[in-house]
Amino acid sequence: MTLGDVATVLSGRLVLRNGDAIDDTVDGFVETDSREIVAGGVFVAKPGETTDGHAFVGVALERGARLAIVEHGVGDEISQIIVPDAVAALGALASHVVAQVRARGELRVIGITGSNGKTTTKNLLAAILSPRGETVAPKNSFNNAVGAPTTMLRVTEGTEYLVSEMGASGPGQIARLVRMATPDIGVVLKVGLAHAGGFGGLEETFAEKSAMVTTLPETAVAVLNLDDDRVAAMADLTSARVVTFGLADAADVRGVDIDSDRSGTRFTLILPSGESRDVRFKVLGEHHVSNALAAAAVATELGVPIDDIVTGLETVTRAERWRMEVLGGRDDVTIINDAYNASPDSMAAALKTLAVVTPPEGRRVAVLGTMAELGEFAGDEHDRIGLLAVRLRVDRLVVVGTDARRLHISAINEGSWDGESVFVETADEAYAYLSDELRSGDTVLVKSSNSAGLRHLGDRLGELFSW
């Protein structure tokens, strides 16, 4: 695109640097982080809660930025387009670029939403699709009003598959992302209490997640989790063709004969055609089988043969950094670092995985921090997880941080429990305690929301018990 093209798409005011021309071409990546800018890039100066992107335009220029998208003028050293809302402009540019690439090529867009599992499913799909053609998928968990369009803007004329995570922490956000790049295949994984504080409850979360399928055209495909009643009910809300996945016998894409240990999860994949294959899935946790089935359902709709689907699934060794990441190993101590994020559903699934994969002679040790963004549900949900830890016979429960203290109290109040719950204020205290407490054969789960910072504790414990 030329500088003039971008200004027209954004309905912004173009201010040219001396020597630049309106028909000069811009072909670099678009970034909101000045540290990520490469030569020819476009820097979007996004105002933030603690910092303002306009203060980093100079850094972006030093790194080779060709253009800045700003909400007010920033001098005369870089060409800039002044817009009322930089984040809205980012979305508008993404929508335009995706539409242009779609019109000229064979681009297929896959949108993924759900309270849990988006990032894992995205990674699995990328592993399956990348050998077949140029595939663009988000880094990390880029799934909000900034991350999703930034990913979309990485498509090129040769991109065949755009895998887009579409997340939300409040009403209307998924619909906005869907309008940017309407999926050819829309996936809904789960409706749970993640970000419940922003939505108000499960029914409100259902309404938000269903925006993925209510806007799909008849030519699209809605891929729905049949094991989740709320997701399954979305079949009545869409005009798209519906394909289901799950463990239920009625699912179009099914998983059966599931078995897990500390090396991963094994299951049999069955497609609508009746074809089946055994999968040795290195990602830990039976709950991730559902994500694998979702990826398999999408790949099948895209014409990927079952053997290639299985090969892709088996190449993925972890869900993502800090997601059911297996560390350690020395002295037969296994650390499962799952502390990138936490919701009631993912916390329960991780604890159940801990119970399943710990060898009979070993101890189950759970190191748990707060589950954030639950609003009015926070107290009850922390209570529920404390009770679950007791009922799963966790041998040692280490609760970290004041925001999670209710989880510790709930476990203690359960009473008839042979295990021990320990409360500490900080991750450093937890590390000191665990350094002395852990012994051969222990399996340790570290789980919390990102804001608790326990992912770094998981890394420290993994390093402590590394070979």
Side-chain angles (χ1 to χ4, degrees):
M1 299 175 68
T2 67
L3 296 173
D5 291 335
V6 179
T8 298
V9 168
L10 302 185
S11 300
R13 180 164 65 91
L14 175 62
V15 179
L16 292 171
R17 177 179 58 184
N18 186 35
D20 287 354
I22 194 170
D23 57 355
D24 285 350
T25 300
V26 180
D27 60 2
F29 289 125
V30 180
E31 303 287 358
T32 60
D33 186 338
S34 60
R35 296 167 297 182
E36 299 293 326
I37 288 287
V38 296
V42 178
F43 177 60
V44 180
K46 176 181 71 71
E49 294 181 2
T50 57
T51 59
D52 187 339
H54 294 79
F56 298 93
V57 172
V59 176
L61 179 62
E62 289 174 3
R63 295 187 60 84
R66 184 71 182 79
L67 172 68
I69 296 172
V70 297
E71 294 182 1
H72 57 75
V74 286
D76 58 6
E77 294 184 348
I78 187 171
S79 290
Q80 55 203 272
I81 298 172
I82 303 173
V83 297
D85 186 324
V87 173
L90 177 66
L93 185 59
S95 181
H96 174 82
V97 168
V98 170
Q100 292 296 305
V101 173
R102 238 177 179 161
R104 298 172 191 169
E106 301 296 326
L107 179 66
R108 304 293 299 277
V109 178
I110 302 99
I112 304 171
T113 195
S115 299
N116 306 106
K118 295 183 294 295
T119 299
T120 303
T121 305
K122 169 264 297 186
N123 287 340
L124 296 173
L125 260 178
I128 294 169
L129 297 176
S130 292
R132 302 180 64 83
E134 183 179 310
T135 301
V136 171
K139 296 186 294 183
N140 302 318
S141 294
F142 279 21
N143 60 30
N144 60 14
V146 174
T150 300
T151 299
M152 294 173 189
L153 284 163
R154 301 186 84 84
V155 298
T156 72
E157 297 285 4
T159 302
E160 295 187 36
Y161 307 107
L162 168 60
V163 183
S164 182
E165 283 189 56
M166 296 181 175
S169 56
Q173 295 177 10
I174 289 176
R176 191 175 305 120
L177 297 178
V178 169
R179 286 194 295 269
M180 284 184 201
T182 302
D184 299 289
I185 302 177
V187 183
V188 186
L189 300 169
K190 192 171 184 64
V191 173
L193 281 173
H195 308 296
F199 294 120
L202 279 173
E203 295 311 312
E204 291 79 5
T205 304
F206 169 83
E208 178 67 17
K209 301 301 182 185
S210 64
M212 171 62 76
V213 299
T214 55
T215 54
L216 293 179
E218 293 181 1
T219 54
V221 179
V223 175
L224 305 178
N225 181 1
L226 196 61
D227 296 333
D228 185 306
D229 291 342
R230 289 182 174 84
V231 176
M234 294 180 191
D236 296 330
L237 304 179
T238 184
S239 58
R241 179 166 58 86
V242 173
V243 172
T244 60
F245 66 91
L247 307 183
D249 291 341
D252 296 315
V253 176
R254 293 191 293 137
V256 299
D257 300 330
I258 301 171
D259 183 41
S260 292
D261 58 26
R262 288 196 286 185
S263 67
T265 309
R266 293 166 294 283
F267 68 96
T268 299
L269 170 66
I270 304 175
L271 299 186
S273 63
E275 291 181 285
S276 66
R277 295 289 188 279
D278 291 336
V279 181
R280 296 188 63 83
F281 195 39
K282 298 182 183 68
V283 178
L284 191 65
E286 291 186 8
H287 54 292
H288 284 306
V289 172
S290 180
N291 302 325
L293 296 175
V298 172
T300 299
E301 288 299 313
L302 293 171
V304 182
I306 189 170
D307 289 333
D308 292 346
I309 293 173
V310 172
T311 297
L313 293 176
E314 292 184 339
T315 62
V316 179
T317 59
R318 65 183 183 189
E320 179 61 271
R321 182 84 165 96
W322 299 310
R323 286 178 168 89
M324 298 305 285
E325 185 175 14
V326 180
L327 306 170
R330 182 176 58 80
D331 297 334
D332 196 29
V333 174
T334 297
I335 310 297
I336 304 170
N337 192 352
D338 194 32
Y340 184 83
N341 221 332
S343 68
D345 288 331
S346 69
M347 186 76 85
L351 283 169
K352 290 172 184 176
T353 297
L354 174 67
V356 169
V357 305
T358 302
E361 66 278 6
R363 294 189 306 170
R364 305 164 178 175
V365 180
V367 185
L368 307 181
T370 187
M371 298 178 289
E373 300 183 67
L374 292 179
E376 64 182 284
F377 304 98
D380 288 344
E381 291 303 320
H382 282 85
D383 285 347
R384 188 171 70 85
I385 294 302
L387 295 177
L388 180 63
V390 174
R391 291 165 187 171
L392 290 173
R393 309 298 296 175
V394 170
D395 297 290
R396 285 290 182 273
L397 177 62
V398 181
V399 178
V400 186
T402 302
D403 290 343
R405 189 184 183 99
R406 189 159 165 174
L407 195 159
H408 164 69
I409 294 171
S410 176
I412 292 296
N413 288 343
E414 183 68 357
S416 59
W417 181 38
D418 296 331
E420 179 185 356
S421 183
V422 175
F423 173 77
V424 296
E425 293 280 357
T426 68
D428 286 340
E429 291 177 70
Y431 180 80
Y433 171 79
L434 291 162
S435 298
D436 293 333
E437 171 66 20
L438 295 180
R439 63 188 189 217
S440 179
D442 285 351
T443 302
V444 185
L445 169 69
V446 183
K447 178 72 173 171
S448 72
S449 285
N450 202 352
S451 58
L454 295 197
R455 62 195 185 280
H456 303 303
L457 171 62
D459 285 344
R460 291 177 69 190
L461 292 171
E463 184 175 338
L464 178 64
F465 289 97
S466 65
W467 290 98

